[in-house]
Amino acid sequence: QVQLVESGGGFVQAGGSLRLSCAASGNIFAINTMSWYRQAPGKQRELVASITNTGFIRYANSVKGRFIISRVDAENSVYLQMNSLKPEDTAVYYCNYLHWGPPELNYWGQGTQVTVSS
């Protein structure tokens, strides 16, 4: 089992910044991908950014140049620095841990709300 605890969400005006944190604990394998997803009301959950243990990073096109994902393996933590926030970034943000295995291990945090006002 892996437990993920997110923090750092909140309310911010457009153009502002927020930093999300996710702390992982439990049976963590060194080879993994840590990701941030988000889900806005009435929409499907979507990938925001991911980072592998080797440092390979992917971003959704909608956040490229504005968001930065990073991880500190010694702390089993992943971060998402969100800059130049837009109202369309409003969503619940979820941390995800994925270890391909086998067997595949896929865990989610409880989510943290980010609200961006115009």
Side-chain angles (χ1 to χ4, degrees):
Q1 287 280 349
V2 174
Q3 295 78 41
L4 302 170
V5 178
E6 302 109 333
S7 61
F11 183 93
V12 65
Q13 291 188 332
S17 298
L18 284 174
R19 185 175 188 246
L20 304 183
S21 301
C22 173
S25 61
N27 189 21
I28 298 169
F29 288 89
I31 300 175
N32 61 66
T33 298
M34 300 290 292
S35 304
W36 289 97
Y37 285 76
R38 68 186 180 187
Q39 187 167 18
K43 294 188 177 181
Q44 289 189 330
R45 191 172 296 189
E46 63 175 358
L47 176 68
V48 176
S50 64
I51 181 168
T52 68
N53 59 288
T54 59
F56 181 76
I57 292 174
R58 287 197 311 164
Y59 292 104
N61 288 334
S62 59
V63 307
K64 282 182 180 177
R66 301 188 298 123
F67 291 10
I68 301 171
I69 189 171
S70 61
R71 59 189 284 165
V72 179
D73 288 341
E75 300 173 356
N76 290 323
S77 295
V78 63
Y79 304 95
L80 186 68
Q81 178 66 42
M82 305 186 294
N83 302 318
S84 302
L85 283 161
K86 304 175 181 180
E88 50 264 45
D89 294 318
T90 295
V92 178
Y93 284 70
Y94 296 91
C95 179
N96 176 265
Y97 166 94
L98 176 64
H99 170 69
W100 290 106
E104 180 180 298
L105 302 175
N106 194 354
Y107 295 96
W108 296 90
Q110 80 285 356
T112 185
Q113 176 71 46
V114 171
T115 303
V116 184
S117 68
S118 57

